[in-house]
Amino acid sequence: MFHLHVNHIYRPDGKKETIDTLLQGSDRDIWMQSLSNEWGRLAQSNDKGVLATDTIDFIHRHEVPDGRDVTYATFVLNYRPLKSETHRVRITVGGDRLSYAADAGSPAANLLETKLLVNSTISDASKGARFMSTDLKDFFLATPMEENEYMRVNYKHFPDDIKKRYNLDDKATPSGHIFIKIKRGMYGLKQAAILAYEHLKENLAKHGYSPVQGTVGLWQHETRPTKFCVCVDDFGIKYYSKDDAQHLIDSLEKHYTCTKDWEGKNYCGLTFDWHYDDGYVDVSMPKYIPESLQRLRYVKNKYPQYSPHHHAPIQYGQKGTRQFASSPDDSPLLSPKETKHVQSTTGSFLYYGRAIDYTILPALNDIASAQAKPTQKTKEKTQQLMDYLHTYPNAFIRFYASDMVLHVDSDAAYLVAPKARSRIAGYFHLSNHPNITKHPKLNRAVLVECKTLRHVVSSSAEAEVAGIFHNAGMAIPIRHILQALNHPQPPTPLKTDNSTAAGFVYDNIHQKRSKSWDMRYHWLRDKQTQQQFNIFWEKGVNNDADYFTKHHPIFHHLAQRAKYVQDKLRECLHILSPARVS
């Protein structure tokens, strides 16, 4: 049996399958049929009669114009047990071998916009708002191109029915290759995404839909209250009536083939469990952690791990505390194979950390800063992170209905990173209006920032101001998106636990050596004067960004984890005595 992870199939020993190994395995006939279906889908069908897109033509070598680049094909393999076609081969173009002069970037909804739309839906559920999702089949393959592209594929990667149907024996070159003309957008082409986006934009404009200015993936209708996020070919839709939702579906189906999820359970790799009447929605990524750990060949630790990173206790009465960076890492460098494993671990869990389990972000920040030249200590940090995720494999976040007012907690830790760097953090959540509710409830974050400052700051107060500056900058587009979702924003409450930083913003401190602050952070004073923010001081124990700036002891993680993320199996976990906690 094999395991799927991010469009790749792995054997139980962790080795990645290729189209060649699968065509020689026990499921050869199944994968050969899937390969035939993909070629038929791209060309003009196959003997099985799959729906064709007329994206490519098989041609002779001499039909390639002189001077044109010719690229290769890559076979992306999927195993999808819940789909009608369980074994899927997707053929992509090696776009790195092709030149494209224009800007190939395409707007697509990000994780933040998705979470804001989900929060907006649950907060407006009492008004009839609901969420659904849909995706467009063969989205890129439906887009005409201004100029054809060309690629070549080894003759052995064509099933017998395709060879016979398209007379490939006569088209094969002496080196054993088939040349292909690409007429429509295809996965892997640099221009495929932007061409498909412009095509979608043109088609939906005919029905009154357009992107919301200032966002990357949020759309709206000119008269209907429908709002939706577009992430390539996936749509997350907030609607108020079936008629509004059906209008969008009908508009799409005039140009594309759609699959619909009226319950809105899945979108962009996230799983949603909606409780409209109770005013909350749970967001999770089931099985992601167990499958990722298995792919990374994780070796289970003897005891549970309740801390995602190492904690260095404060040595009172000695020079230096945990506020200062540790000594340089002089442990041995890892081998290329071990380096790749560390980098794979970071890449595997970064999206999960930003989407679901925010508590791993400080650990990822540490590992990522050293992953170019990881050492034995980096490997140990990676192992501890995996131990922690194995202990908490089924995390989810719960968004509650609110007034949809943005609240920000900002914090910084001075000189906690290598090379005299400091770490800043921001906790962004949606809660009640501060003028109506004296102490708005803490909601799960729509965004957690955990970053190392690139420049060296001269004091803890300057680090705090840098954190406020960064988080205020991140809040501006969030405010804009919320207003586009029909949630007006008062001055955004932005909390800091440093009185000097708050005094700098209000220009009521006597400055001596902070002239560099003026040049870099004066923007904060402008925004405070314009009443876009209400920057205020509150004691550190009430600052929810503090968790993400420092390496806390295990008891702190055990006490604070439930504030930021929940665990479906939490009641089954036995909290061990400190002597047994690794």
Side-chain angles (χ1 to χ4, degrees), residues 165-181:
R165 187 182 186 91
Y166 295 98
N167 197 21
L168 297 188
D169 288 344
D170 291 342
K171 295 182 172 68
T173 65
S175 63
H177 290 90
I178 300 296
F179 281 78
I180 296 170
K181 178 170 69 175

Side-chain angles (χ1 to χ4, degrees), residues 298-477:
Y298 165 73
V299 178
K300 182 179 178 181
N301 195 7
K302 185 177 181 181
Y303 299 117
Q305 175 59 262
Y306 298 110
S307 174
H309 43 63
H310 176 70
H311 167 66
I314 301 175
Q315 300 297 322
Y316 293 103
Q318 298 183 14
K319 272 193 173 183
T321 69
R322 69 171 181 173
Q323 284 292 329
F324 294 90
S326 58
S327 58
D329 182 358
D330 56 0
S331 60
L333 292 173
L334 298 182
S335 66
K337 182 178 180 180
E338 291 175 313
T339 297
K340 185 176 180 180
H341 184 267
V342 169
Q343 294 169 344
S344 297
T345 303
T346 306
S348 296
F349 298 130
L350 181 58
Y351 182 80
Y352 180 79
R354 296 189 66 83
I356 304 296
D357 194 344
Y358 306 122
T359 65
I360 67 174
L361 291 178
L364 285 171
N365 180 262
D366 269 358
I367 298 170
S369 65
Q371 68 176 351
K373 294 182 178 180
T375 65
Q376 183 63 34
K377 286 186 179 179
T378 312
K379 181 180 178 180
E380 293 170 3
K381 292 177 181 179
T382 304
Q383 181 65 34
Q384 181 168 350
L385 175 62
M386 290 194 289
D387 290 339
Y388 179 77
L389 289 169
H390 181 264
T391 303
Y392 298 106
N394 296 305
F396 69 97
I397 51 176
R398 177 171 292 177
F399 292 125
Y400 291 94
S402 68
D403 294 338
M404 291 293 292
V405 173
L406 178 65
H407 293 252
V408 183
D409 285 21
S410 178
D411 193 43
Y414 181 53
L415 298 184
V416 295
K419 299 182 180 179
R421 296 305 197 271
S422 303
R423 184 180 296 117
I424 60 173
Y427 189 90
F428 299 73
H429 68 105
L430 301 169
S431 189
N432 297 326
H433 199 294
N435 295 343
I436 299 175
T437 305
K438 187 175 181 180
H439 298 289
K441 291 182 178 180
L442 178 70
N443 206 346
R444 296 298 186 274
V446 294
L447 173 67
V448 170
E449 287 288 283
C450 179
K451 293 182 177 295
T452 301
L453 289 177
R454 292 186 177 182
H455 60 284
V456 178
V457 293
S458 59
S459 67
S460 60
E462 187 177 356
E464 296 280 359
V465 173
I468 297 173
F469 177 81
H470 176 84
N471 292 322
M474 294 299 299
I476 294 294

